[in-house]
Amino acid sequence: MSFFEEKNPEMDRYLENHASSEPENLKKLRRETFQKTTQPHMISGYQQGRLLTIVSKMLNPKNVLEIGTFTGYATLCLAEGLSSDGKITTLDVNEDLAYLPKKYFSESKFSTQINFQIQDAKEFLRNTDEVFDLIFIDADKENYAEYFRLIKPRTKSGSVILFDNVLWYGKVLEENPKQKSTQVIKELNDLVAKDEDFENLILPLRDGVNFLRRK
């Protein structure tokens, strides 16, 4: 959920009204996500979706990785910027919900460029030799730091990585957090800030996006 959506919904509506409109298929997917899932707030949503699309279109990537498909909203946003011979691999472990992203992927003009796999991301990263131009991580917060360690060798100069929910509803300000996810998100943010191979900025969009570029 967005900070403004919770604290100042009028500002949230203002931000949406002054962003590029989302494609009709994404509008339908967003609506169905709220109708058919128990945690619809997990969707990337309008504003973040437009950010992902703009970043992808700027990079025009050939190889994209997404960790955490959910209903496929962010996947389709990232796919908008793919090069004509590009592909996006999107990973999730929720088999029960897989029917929903599969439905929208098959209806999309990017259907042949989307590789949707029900697979543990750590296992995938330990076994792949692929190098990615753009990576978006929005799942399994307790493994964020490990994802960063596994992802780094799978990047090159100019690769962009985006970690979602890195402000964790403000919990990152806790000095001695008891929640494991908060501890790991703080660890990730510290790792990124100290890693001289990357330049980064945390964007205060929705619940915070750590935006990294490999030097």
Side-chain angles (χ1 to χ4, degrees):
M1 179 179 286
S2 159
F3 172 83
F4 283 119
E5 187 177 355
E6 183 177 354
K7 303 294 185 182
N8 190 336
E10 294 83 4
M11 179 62 77
D12 198 63
R13 296 292 81 77
Y14 181 87
L15 294 171
E16 288 196 359
N17 290 336
H18 290 80
S20 300
S21 59
E22 62 185 342
E24 189 61 32
N25 65 323
L26 290 179
K27 192 178 295 184
K28 288 171 59 180
L29 173 53
R30 193 152 57 101
R31 187 182 308 118
E32 192 165 353
T33 298
F34 276 83
Q35 291 171 344
K36 295 185 177 179
T37 69
T38 57
Q39 295 180 301
H41 65 278
M42 288 172 58
I43 194 170
S44 285
Y46 193 157
Q47 296 169 44
Q48 190 178 69
R50 290 306 87 204
L51 171 67
L52 296 176
T53 292
I54 290 170
V55 171
S56 187
K57 285 184 175 180
M58 290 172 67
L59 293 174
N60 193 218
K62 284 190 174 184
N63 206 8
V64 179
L65 175 65
E66 178 187 32
I67 297 175
T69 311
F70 190 44
T71 59
Y73 189 96
T75 318
L76 292 170
C77 291
L78 292 163
E80 290 185 56
L82 283 172
S83 60
S84 58
D85 59 345
K87 70 167 184 175
I88 176 168
T89 298
T90 181
L91 309 172
D92 209 298
V93 294
N94 190 339
E95 295 185 34
D96 293 336
L97 195 60
Y99 75 94
L100 196 50
K102 284 181 178 178
K103 170 187 171 182
Y104 281 88
F105 293 165
S106 66
E107 295 174 354
S108 166
K109 64 181 179 180
F110 307 110
S111 59
T112 61
Q113 295 176 278
I114 298 173
N115 174 26
F116 176 35
Q117 297 185 32
I118 300 296
Q119 183 178 1
D120 179 79
K122 296 189 299 299
E123 177 188 351
F124 174 85
L125 288 166
R126 288 177 182 133
N127 289 284
T128 188
D129 59 359
E130 293 185 74
V131 173
F132 299 95
D133 307 301
L134 176 59
I135 302 171
F136 178 54
I137 303 96
D138 185 19
D140 194 14
K141 315 306 177 191
E142 293 187 5
N143 277 300
Y144 263 23
E146 181 65 10
Y147 286 151
F148 179 62
R149 296 183 185 100
L150 291 170
I151 283 168
K152 183 174 178 178
R154 305 269 61 85
T155 60
K156 61 183 180 181
S157 177
S159 291
V160 167
I161 306 172
L162 299 105
F163 279 92
D164 196 16
N165 301 108
V166 296
L167 296 180
W168 207 224
Y169 306 102
K171 294 177 184 177
V172 290
L173 295 180
E174 296 176 7
E175 288 191 17
N176 297 295
K178 295 180 180 179
Q179 189 179 39
K180 176 71 178 298
S181 54
T182 307
Q183 296 169 11
V184 176
I185 289 172
K186 289 185 61 144
E187 180 186 359
L188 167 76
N189 290 337
D190 289 341
L191 284 171
V192 170
K194 295 173 183 176
D195 194 318
E196 296 184 355
D197 291 326
F198 290 92
E199 49 193 346
N200 83 296
L201 175 70
I202 295 179
L203 303 175
L205 176 69
R206 295 186 86 237
D207 192 27
V209 177
N210 206 331
F211 191 127
L212 297 68
R213 177 187 175 275
R214 183 79 186 255
K215 295 179 183 178

